[in-house]
Amino acid sequence: MSVELPKLNYDFKALEPFMDAQTVEIHYTRHHQGYVDKTNAVLEKYPDLQDLDLEELMKKIPILEMEEADKTVLKNNGGGVLAHDLFWDIMGPEKEIDEKLALDLEENFGSVSKFKQIFSEAAKSHFASGWTWLVKGEKGKMQVYSTANHDSPLAKNHEPILVLDVWEHAYYLHYQNRRADYVDNWWNILKLI
Ligand code: MN
Protein backbone atom coordinates (compact mmCIF):
# COMPACT_ATOMS: atom_id res chain seq x y z
CA MET A 1 0.00 0.00 0.00
CA SER A 2 1.18 3.46 -0.72
CA VAL A 3 -0.71 6.53 0.39
CA GLU A 4 -1.70 9.07 -2.24
CA LEU A 5 -2.72 12.69 -2.25
CA PRO A 6 -6.41 12.65 -3.25
CA LYS A 7 -7.55 14.85 -6.08
CA LEU A 8 -9.05 18.16 -5.02
CA ASN A 9 -12.58 18.49 -6.41
CA TYR A 10 -12.40 22.26 -6.87
CA ASP A 11 -9.97 25.02 -7.86
CA PHE A 12 -7.71 26.61 -5.29
CA LYS A 13 -9.77 29.78 -5.52
CA ALA A 14 -13.16 28.07 -5.34
CA LEU A 15 -13.59 28.60 -1.60
CA GLU A 16 -13.00 32.34 -1.67
CA PRO A 17 -13.73 34.68 -0.01
CA PHE A 18 -13.97 32.42 3.04
CA MET A 19 -10.75 30.49 2.38
CA ASP A 20 -8.24 32.19 0.10
CA ALA A 21 -6.58 30.55 -2.91
CA GLN A 22 -3.03 30.88 -1.63
CA THR A 23 -3.90 29.21 1.67
CA VAL A 24 -5.66 26.32 -0.11
CA GLU A 25 -2.77 25.85 -2.55
CA ILE A 26 -0.03 25.83 0.08
CA HIS A 27 -2.11 23.75 2.48
CA TYR A 28 -2.88 21.11 -0.13
CA THR A 29 0.31 20.99 -2.23
CA ARG A 30 2.82 21.36 0.60
CA HIS A 31 1.33 20.48 3.97
CA HIS A 32 -0.96 17.65 2.87
CA GLN A 33 1.54 16.36 0.32
CA GLY A 34 4.23 16.45 3.00
CA TYR A 35 2.18 14.25 5.33
CA VAL A 36 1.59 11.82 2.45
CA ASP A 37 5.31 11.62 1.65
CA LYS A 38 6.36 11.13 5.26
CA THR A 39 3.73 8.44 5.79
CA ASN A 40 4.98 6.53 2.76
CA ALA A 41 8.58 6.92 3.86
CA VAL A 42 7.97 5.36 7.27
CA LEU A 43 5.77 2.56 5.90
CA GLU A 44 8.44 1.55 3.40
CA LYS A 45 10.41 0.24 6.35
CA TYR A 46 7.63 -2.21 7.25
CA PRO A 47 6.63 -4.38 4.28
CA ASP A 48 4.56 -6.59 6.60
CA LEU A 49 2.14 -3.73 7.17
CA GLN A 50 1.53 -3.11 3.46
CA ASP A 51 -1.73 -5.06 3.46
CA LEU A 52 -3.43 -2.75 5.95
CA ASP A 53 -5.07 0.45 4.80
CA LEU A 54 -4.24 3.70 6.56
CA GLU A 55 -7.44 3.75 8.63
CA GLU A 56 -6.68 0.28 9.97
CA LEU A 57 -3.13 1.32 10.77
CA MET A 58 -4.34 4.35 12.72
CA LYS A 59 -6.65 2.15 14.81
CA LYS A 60 -3.89 -0.33 15.56
CA ILE A 61 -0.83 1.83 16.20
CA PRO A 62 -0.37 0.73 19.83
CA ILE A 63 -0.18 -2.94 18.83
CA LEU A 64 1.80 -2.61 15.60
CA GLU A 65 5.26 -4.16 15.42
CA MET A 66 7.12 -0.92 14.81
CA GLU A 67 9.79 1.04 16.56
CA GLU A 68 8.26 3.56 18.96
CA ALA A 69 9.78 6.52 17.11
CA ASP A 70 8.25 5.27 13.85
CA LYS A 71 4.86 4.87 15.54
CA THR A 72 5.02 8.55 16.42
CA VAL A 73 5.92 9.44 12.81
CA LEU A 74 3.01 7.31 11.57
CA LYS A 75 0.56 8.78 14.09
CA ASN A 76 1.50 12.36 13.22
CA ASN A 77 1.70 11.99 9.44
CA GLY A 78 -0.85 9.25 8.78
CA GLY A 79 -3.26 11.10 11.06
CA GLY A 80 -2.54 14.24 9.07
CA VAL A 81 -3.26 12.51 5.77
CA LEU A 82 -6.65 11.16 6.86
CA ALA A 83 -7.74 14.38 8.54
CA HIS A 84 -6.88 16.43 5.45
CA ASP A 85 -8.50 13.89 3.10
CA LEU A 86 -11.79 14.39 4.98
CA PHE A 87 -11.33 18.14 5.40
CA TRP A 88 -11.05 18.83 1.64
CA ASP A 89 -13.82 16.38 0.81
CA ILE A 90 -16.52 17.98 2.98
CA MET A 91 -15.92 21.49 1.63
CA GLY A 92 -16.97 22.97 -1.68
CA PRO A 93 -18.16 26.12 -3.42
CA GLU A 94 -21.74 24.79 -3.73
CA LYS A 95 -23.90 23.34 -0.98
CA GLU A 96 -24.66 19.63 -1.29
CA ILE A 97 -26.90 19.28 1.73
CA ASP A 98 -26.87 15.87 3.39
CA GLU A 99 -30.41 15.38 4.71
CA LYS A 100 -29.48 12.27 6.68
CA LEU A 101 -26.71 14.15 8.45
CA ALA A 102 -29.10 16.98 9.31
CA LEU A 103 -31.53 14.50 10.87
CA ASP A 104 -28.72 12.84 12.85
CA LEU A 105 -27.58 16.24 14.11
CA GLU A 106 -31.12 17.14 15.21
CA GLU A 107 -31.41 13.85 17.04
CA ASN A 108 -28.04 14.16 18.77
CA PHE A 109 -27.82 17.89 19.47
CA GLY A 110 -31.42 19.16 19.32
CA SER A 111 -30.93 21.14 16.11
CA VAL A 112 -28.39 21.82 13.39
CA SER A 113 -27.83 25.33 14.72
CA LYS A 114 -27.19 24.02 18.23
CA PHE A 115 -24.63 21.60 16.80
CA LYS A 116 -22.94 24.44 14.91
CA GLN A 117 -22.75 26.47 18.10
CA ILE A 118 -21.16 23.58 20.05
CA PHE A 119 -18.72 22.77 17.24
CA SER A 120 -17.71 26.41 16.73
CA GLU A 121 -17.09 26.85 20.44
CA ALA A 122 -14.87 23.75 20.51
CA ALA A 123 -12.88 24.98 17.48
CA LYS A 124 -12.44 28.50 18.82
CA SER A 125 -11.36 27.39 22.29
CA HIS A 126 -8.93 24.62 21.30
CA PHE A 127 -5.46 25.59 22.44
CA ALA A 128 -2.70 25.56 19.81
CA SER A 129 -2.58 23.19 16.82
CA GLY A 130 -5.21 20.55 16.26
CA TRP A 131 -8.54 19.57 14.79
CA THR A 132 -12.17 19.83 15.81
CA TRP A 133 -14.24 16.78 15.00
CA LEU A 134 -17.79 15.55 14.73
CA VAL A 135 -17.62 11.80 15.24
CA LYS A 136 -19.84 8.80 15.75
CA GLY A 137 -18.64 7.20 18.95
CA GLU A 138 -19.94 4.40 21.13
CA LYS A 139 -23.31 3.03 19.96
CA GLY A 140 -23.36 5.52 17.09
CA LYS A 141 -23.79 8.48 19.45
CA MET A 142 -22.43 11.68 17.94
CA GLN A 143 -19.81 13.69 19.80
CA VAL A 144 -17.89 16.91 19.23
CA TYR A 145 -14.35 17.31 20.50
CA SER A 146 -10.94 18.61 19.52
CA THR A 147 -7.68 16.70 19.33
CA ALA A 148 -4.12 17.96 19.50
CA ASN A 149 -1.73 17.85 16.53
CA HIS A 150 -2.95 15.12 14.15
CA ASP A 151 -4.37 12.75 16.73
CA SER A 152 -7.17 10.76 15.11
CA PRO A 153 -10.53 9.70 16.58
CA LEU A 154 -9.88 6.39 14.81
CA ALA A 155 -7.48 5.58 17.67
CA LYS A 156 -10.60 5.47 19.88
CA ASN A 157 -12.57 3.60 17.24
CA HIS A 158 -14.69 6.70 16.65
CA GLU A 159 -15.87 7.37 13.10
CA PRO A 160 -14.99 10.88 11.83
CA ILE A 161 -17.93 12.66 10.12
CA LEU A 162 -16.80 16.30 9.92
CA VAL A 163 -13.51 17.96 10.71
CA LEU A 164 -12.13 21.49 10.86
CA ASP A 165 -8.40 22.18 10.72
CA VAL A 166 -7.48 24.71 13.41
CA TRP A 167 -3.73 24.68 12.79
CA GLU A 168 -2.56 28.20 12.05
CA HIS A 169 -1.43 27.12 8.56
CA ALA A 170 -5.12 26.63 7.73
CA TYR A 171 -6.04 30.29 8.19
CA TYR A 172 -3.16 32.56 9.14
CA LEU A 173 -2.41 34.10 5.71
CA HIS A 174 -5.93 35.47 5.43
CA TYR A 175 -7.19 35.71 9.01
CA GLN A 176 -3.90 36.12 10.95
CA ASN A 177 -4.77 35.50 14.59
CA ARG A 178 -8.54 35.79 14.10
CA ARG A 179 -9.38 32.12 14.40
CA ALA A 180 -12.94 32.91 15.49
CA ASP A 181 -13.65 34.62 12.14
CA TYR A 182 -12.17 31.64 10.27
CA VAL A 183 -14.42 29.26 12.20
CA ASP A 184 -17.56 31.37 11.73
CA ASN A 185 -16.89 31.71 7.98
CA TRP A 186 -16.13 28.02 7.53
CA TRP A 187 -19.83 27.12 7.66
CA ASN A 188 -20.23 28.85 4.28
CA ILE A 189 -17.88 26.36 2.59
CA LEU A 190 -18.84 23.24 4.49
CA LYS A 191 -21.05 21.87 1.76
CA LEU A 192 -22.98 19.19 3.70
CA ILE A 193 -25.07 21.32 6.09
MN1 MN B 1 -3.64 21.32 7.87
Side-chain angles (χ1 to χ4, degrees), residues 142-158:
M142 285 179 154
Q143 297 177 43
V144 169
Y145 55 79
S146 297
T147 59
N149 304 317
H150 286 155
D151 292 358
S152 175
L154 292 168
K156 296 193 276 194
N157 247 317
H158 291 175

Side-chain angles (χ1 to χ4, degrees), residues 1-185:
M1 177 200 77
S2 117
V3 175
E4 288 177 15
L5 186 70
K7 193 178 170 305
L8 206 56
N9 293 319
Y10 38 82
D11 296 338
F12 295 140
K13 64 178 188 309
L15 305 178
E16 290 192 341
F18 308 110
M19 192 178 285
D20 65 289
Q22 190 183 19
T23 293
V24 174
E25 180 171 5
I26 293 172
H27 199 172
Y28 174 72
T29 64
R30 300 195 212 165
H31 291 273
H32 194 173
Q33 181 72 61
Y35 302 130
V36 167
D37 294 344
K38 290 188 181 115
T39 300
N40 285 328
V42 76
L43 289 177
E44 271 175 23
K45 296 162 70 174
Y46 300 94
D48 291 352
L49 299 179
Q50 300 288 323
D51 293 341
L52 294 174
D53 66 26
L54 191 52
E55 292 193 358
E56 281 302 306
L57 288 170
M58 298 314 292
K59 290 177 184 174
K60 291 179 174 168
I61 284 178
I63 59 166
L64 293 176
E65 304 238 340
M66 298 179 84
E67 289 178 29
E68 285 305 313
D70 286 342
K71 285 187 182 183
T72 302
V73 173
L74 178 61
K75 179 162 84 89
N76 288 340
N77 291 283
V81 170
L82 291 176
H84 287 92
D85 288 356
L86 179 61
F87 182 57
W88 300 125
D89 191 47
I90 59 177
M91 294 190 292
E94 308 284 343
K95 289 283 181 186
E96 294 173 29
I97 301 295
D98 182 335
E99 301 290 351
K100 171 74 167 66
L101 175 59
L103 288 172
D104 283 350
L105 291 172
E106 279 175 31
E107 196 173 304
N108 282 269
F109 299 97
S111 68
V112 172
S113 65
K114 182 69 183 164
F115 156 72
K116 287 168 75 171
Q117 188 186 333
I118 291 167
F119 190 98
S120 291
E121 184 53 37
K124 292 174 187 178
S125 63
H126 178 70
F127 181 72
S129 296
W131 296 82
T132 300
W133 303 86
L134 169 71
V135 301
K136 276 191 178 168
E138 287 84 26
K139 295 176 181 159
K141 179 95 182 125
M142 285 179 154
Q143 297 177 43
V144 169
Y145 55 79
S146 297
T147 59
N149 304 317
H150 286 155
D151 292 358
S152 175
L154 292 168
K156 296 193 276 194
N157 247 317
H158 291 175
E159 178 195 350
I161 310 293
L162 300 176
V163 71
L164 175 57
D165 193 338
V166 294
W167 284 59
E168 285 185 345
H169 68 231
Y171 62 87
Y172 211 85
L173 284 176
H174 182 72
Y175 292 96
Q176 293 85 47
N177 63 329
R178 302 188 310 278
R179 187 196 288 180
D181 291 349
Y182 162 69
V183 172
D184 288 339
N185 279 339

